[in-house]
Amino acid sequence: MHSHQLAKLAGVTVRTLRHYHQIGILSEPPRSPNGYRRYTVDDLVRLLRIRHLVGLGVSLTEVPSILDDDLHESTTMVLDRIEADIDAKMAQLSAQRDLVRSLRTEGGAPDAPAGLGGDLSKLHSELGLPAEAARFDLDVATLIAQLSGPDVHAAREAIANLSEHATPAFFDAVKQLAQMPPDAPGEQRQRTADALRANLPTASPNTCESADTATTKMLQELQQLHLNSAQLDTLARLRAPRS
């Protein structure tokens, strides 16, 4: 039979057939006088065995050792590895499903770190922040969560603490900052900075103090990209030492 016939019977493509020849797991038969390869039923059976192994999860590099393993020693080792891979994938899928369910329940942004999206969405709803301000907070949280490691527990605790202990005066000041136009007068900027400093719950006014230099620079760059000149000036006044 020709290559197209073999590929069709085995349920693979001719390109796959050629690839198997190239990596040596399927012998390439000699060509007939007319230039076509002539395959036998043995070739079909071996190709079917390869396809079954690949479907099971056996890598192409492991296929020869199993096909030629009369004592089944290599087969046992490969099957143990495949089962371990399946267990790991099932655990990953289970965690992914739990995350999807959590996002649906909490109503958080699916593009945010696990848990943080729902926490921030709830806080923003309570504050009544503009959409662009809420998006900026989410961008900051996403950046910090990535740079601080996979565990977002500390960040979630900080948000919960802010929601529980911050005063209405602090939230009002946050809204003033979020809604501040770029041409806000200096007096308004100073009042907002003073209100934030006076009501900031049990934390330094400089949100970057505990971050390393690289993280601080990236957070500052994010602020420069998304905040207007009046908002940036207000934050600078907030961070400035008290006179």
Side-chain angles (χ1 to χ4, degrees):
M1 68 188 82
H2 295 156
S3 58
H4 284 84
Q5 294 173 307
L6 177 65
K8 184 177 181 179
L9 287 172
V12 300
T13 65
V14 174
R15 184 176 180 179
T16 297
L17 195 63
R18 291 170 181 165
H19 180 59
Y20 289 171
H21 288 325
Q22 291 174 353
I23 63 177
I25 62 175
L26 182 67
S27 298
E28 188 173 353
R31 294 180 181 272
S32 61
N34 60 9
Y36 290 102
R37 296 188 182 94
R38 302 292 297 182
Y39 294 92
T40 68
V41 176
D42 278 344
D43 296 317
L44 175 60
V45 171
R46 184 174 178 88
L47 185 56
L48 289 172
R49 294 175 67 194
I50 294 172
R51 198 194 70 177
H52 292 157
L53 289 173
V54 171
L56 187 63
V58 178
S59 67
L60 292 179
T61 57
E62 295 171 323
V63 165
S65 64
I66 294 181
L67 290 178
D68 304 324
D69 182 21
D70 295 332
L71 299 178
H72 304 293
E73 293 177 354
S74 297
T75 299
T76 300
M77 294 176 60
V78 171
L79 292 178
D80 288 344
R81 194 269 304 163
I82 292 174
E83 185 174 5
D85 287 347
I86 292 173
D87 289 340
K89 290 177 182 178
M90 289 177 64
Q92 181 181 7
L93 288 172
S94 179
Q96 186 177 356
R97 180 186 59 193
D98 291 343
L99 177 57
V100 169
R101 290 175 175 175
S102 175
L103 288 170
R104 184 183 291 115
T105 301
E106 298 178 1
D111 57 341
L116 284 181
D119 294 344
L120 283 172
S121 178
K122 181 180 179 181
L123 182 60
H124 294 151
S125 179
E126 294 173 356
L127 287 172
L129 289 180
E132 59 272 16
R135 180 68 255 180
F136 175 71
D137 280 353
L138 196 57
D139 289 347
V140 170
T142 299
L143 181 61
I144 292 176
Q146 175 63 28
L147 297 177
S148 61
D151 186 6
V152 298
H153 182 69
R156 297 194 67 181
E157 278 192 345
I159 294 172
N161 180 69
L162 182 64
S163 180
E164 181 178 356
H165 298 293
T167 64
F170 173 76
F171 288 143
D172 287 343
V174 170
K175 290 179 63 175
Q176 292 172 23
L177 177 64
Q179 297 170 351
M180 184 175 292
D183 58 352
E187 294 82 0
Q188 179 182 349
R189 303 178 190 185
Q190 190 61 52
R191 284 197 306 270
T192 302
D194 291 342
L196 287 169
R197 181 184 294 108
N199 296 284
L200 192 61
T202 61
S204 167
N206 187 352
T207 56
C208 300
E209 273 187 354
S210 61
D212 58 40
T213 302
T215 302
T216 299
K217 287 183 177 179
M218 281 187 274
L219 290 174
Q220 290 174 344
E221 181 181 349
L222 198 61
Q223 291 176 348
Q224 293 288 337
L225 290 171
H226 294 280
L227 301 183
N228 64 44
S229 57
Q231 291 169 326
L232 291 170
D233 180 55
T234 300
L235 291 178
R237 293 169 186 251
L238 173 62
R239 290 190 291 264
R242 297 184 185 182
S243 56

